[in-house]
Amino acid sequence: DRDVTGVQTCALPISTGLGAEIRWSAQVTGIEQDADEVRVLLAGGGVERAAYVAGCDGTRSLTRQAAGLPFPGVPNPGSVLLADLFLDGLPMTDAYGDLSERGMLLVFPFRDGSCRVVLYDYARADVPVTEPVTLEEVRASLGHIAGQDFGPRDMAWSGRYRSESRQAPAYRTGRIFLAGDAAHTHSPAGAQGMNAGLQDAVNLGWKLAAAVHGWAPDWLLDSYHAERHPVGAAVLALAGRQFRLNTARTAPRRMLRWTVQRVVAPLPPVQVRLARGYSGLAIRYPAAAAPGRPAAAGASHPLAGARLPRGRLTRPDGSTTRLYDLFHDGRFVLLEADAAAGTGAGRSTLPDRVSQVRYTQADGTRLPAAALVRPDGYLAWASDERDAPARAAAARAAVRWWCG
């Protein structure tokens, strides 16, 4: 999820089991699109043609620029210093943090005894991000913020960044899509970046697969922006609030920070809410993401649009399975309690892209009588309708609406 002088790189290993071809360090010089295709221009004169392009190429995204999309937002004040090194004066057993009136210090240990140091020194907040980081600067800022010498040495890597909050106004334009840092960037406070990027990818991935295989409803690709753009905006707001709170400079705001961190945040209900928010488990996709949805395939059930909870199912033959093991093949799953056996949607009426699973018991969670779950683990439709024929008709309508 980076863009280094036009070279698109991938930070994670990618499986080629489905026939993907990976071209490492391929330099993209331009992207063009029309009503029929997207053309990716490569250094050396090569051209790759595709039905769609997903730009996951970071904050300086060439894909976003080629699509003509702006990246509005505001920079958070000051530049933040990062360094990977050894600290002789601090045990590398746990993460360490210090917030003072002079700045912010975070230390994250690595397995080899070194650590990642994050420094926001108010006295050096205006240093340009292009200025190299020196070991002496790290030593001076550690002493300025924490008031002690941690003995920094052997710096292996360093850098600076300006903590900006920016978001593209559209995640799709024609056949071009944006995901991850190409679509949104924010303060790293709360470690939201990887979660948000992976959730973008999972949300977009199965929808692009549906379009490529020819069964996606007309509205499905547009639902990517409708579902993920509000989530991105919420992540920007959450990370921005935490960054401003952590870097409070005035006495009243530092008192507010002390109250939030020492009094409010430790409360168990607050802990649960924060954990769900930061992890992304609290995300719900609204019915409005699919405009024009008929009532029979609607989302009136309280769980519709929510993430499928964890749990284990017992099938009619006595076998058991984890709920999330049902999604390894990338299909929709129609879950039905065993009481619906013989009265459900019917295997013959379901397309191959839907797996029908009946169960007699759900351990660790409470499920609706019937639910259609998307390949990304979110409930597309759910029902507790007691009348079996009516429930079966609604299930068939939901399958037609979502699966073409």
Side-chain angles (χ1 to χ4, degrees):
D1 198 19
R2 295 176 292 167
D3 173 19
V4 183
T5 62
V7 177
Q8 313 305 307
T9 65
C10 178
L12 295 173
I14 300 176
S15 171
T16 58
L18 296 178
E21 178 186 354
I22 310 302
R23 298 190 184 181
W24 298 104
S25 299
Q27 185 174 3
V28 177
T29 59
I31 300 174
E32 303 170 347
Q33 69 167 322
D34 55 34
D36 300 317
E37 66 176 9
V38 186
R39 294 174 294 280
V40 179
L41 313 181
L42 303 178
V47 178
E48 290 294 326
R49 289 176 163 83
Y52 303 98
V53 163
C56 311
D57 47 342
T59 58
R60 294 177 290 171
S61 170
L62 174 68
T63 310
R64 187 183 63 241
Q65 296 171 34
L69 290 170
F71 206 35
V74 295
N76 287 323
S79 61
V80 180
L81 181 155
L82 304 174
D84 291 350
L85 41 65
F86 288 85
L87 294 179
D88 290 337
L90 191 65
M92 291 293 108
T93 54
D94 297 290
Y96 174 85
D98 196 336
L99 297 172
S100 72
E101 67 275 7
R102 295 177 294 276
M104 176 182 70
L105 162 64
L106 299 172
V107 177
F108 302 99
F110 295 145
R111 290 183 179 179
D112 65 354
S114 66
C115 62
R116 165 69 54 86
V117 171
V118 182
L119 287 166
Y120 186 36
D121 187 347
Y122 299 157
R124 297 186 57 77
D126 296 328
V127 175
V129 294
T130 55
E131 181 174 317
V133 177
T134 67
L135 185 61
E136 286 309 310
E137 179 187 8
V138 174
R139 187 188 309 276
S141 289
L142 285 170
H144 183 241
I145 294 171
Q148 56 183 307
D149 184 0
F150 289 110
R153 63 176 174 86
D154 299 334
M155 185 167 66
W157 174 88
S158 62
R160 302 181 200 270
Y161 70 90
R162 188 169 295 278
S163 186
E164 297 183 319
S165 294
R166 299 186 181 277
Q167 185 178 30
Y171 286 9
R172 178 193 185 186
T173 174
R175 293 178 172 272
I176 297 176
F177 297 82
L178 301 177
D181 288 352
H184 45 74
T185 184
H186 49 81
S187 162
Q192 296 291 284
M194 184 173 289
N195 271 4
L198 289 175
Q199 290 162 359
D200 287 347
V202 174
N203 187 290
L204 178 59
W206 72 268
K207 295 173 182 178
L208 281 176
V212 168
H213 287 287
W215 60 263
D218 293 340
W219 53 267
L220 189 62
L221 288 180
D222 284 334
S223 74
Y224 168 64
H225 168 87
E227 291 181 347
R228 293 303 304 170
H229 192 274
V231 173
V235 168
L236 261 66
L238 179 63
R241 284 195 300 268
Q242 182 173 341
F243 182 83
R244 290 189 293 272
L245 190 65
N246 287 346
T247 58
R249 302 195 188 191
T250 65
R253 291 194 65 82
R254 289 200 299 271
M255 178 58 69
L256 173 63
R257 181 178 67 197
W258 185 92
T259 302
V260 169
Q261 295 181 344
R262 301 297 181 87
V263 179
V264 179
L267 297 173
V270 177
Q271 288 280 296
V272 171
R273 182 167 181 174
L274 289 174
R276 289 181 56 80
Y278 278 107
S279 66
L281 295 180
I283 292 172
R284 296 183 69 101
Y285 294 136
R293 177 185 300 174
S300 58
H301 193 280
L303 289 180
R307 186 175 184 270
L308 181 71
R310 292 185 300 173
R312 179 172 287 274
L313 298 183
T314 300
R315 299 190 186 227
D317 63 2
S319 63
T320 64
T321 181
R322 291 175 62 251
L323 271 170
Y324 274 85
D325 286 343
L326 301 174
F327 297 90
H328 288 177
D329 60 2
R331 291 193 290 172
F332 277 79
V333 175
L334 180 61
L335 295 171
E336 295 181 292
D338 190 52
T343 60
R347 175 66 259 175
S348 62
T349 68
L350 296 178
D352 290 340
R353 47 193 168 270
V354 181
S355 173
Q356 188 174 33
V357 175
R358 292 194 172 109
Y359 63 93
T360 57
Q361 183 176 336
D363 295 321
T365 186
R366 180 185 178 278
L367 295 175
L372 180 66
V373 188
R374 305 173 355 171
D376 58 2
Y378 284 82
L379 276 73
W381 167 88
S383 175
D384 284 317
E385 171 63 56
R386 294 184 178 181
D387 182 72
R391 186 173 62 247
R396 288 193 296 270
V399 169
R400 284 196 301 270
W401 176 252
W402 282 93
C403 304

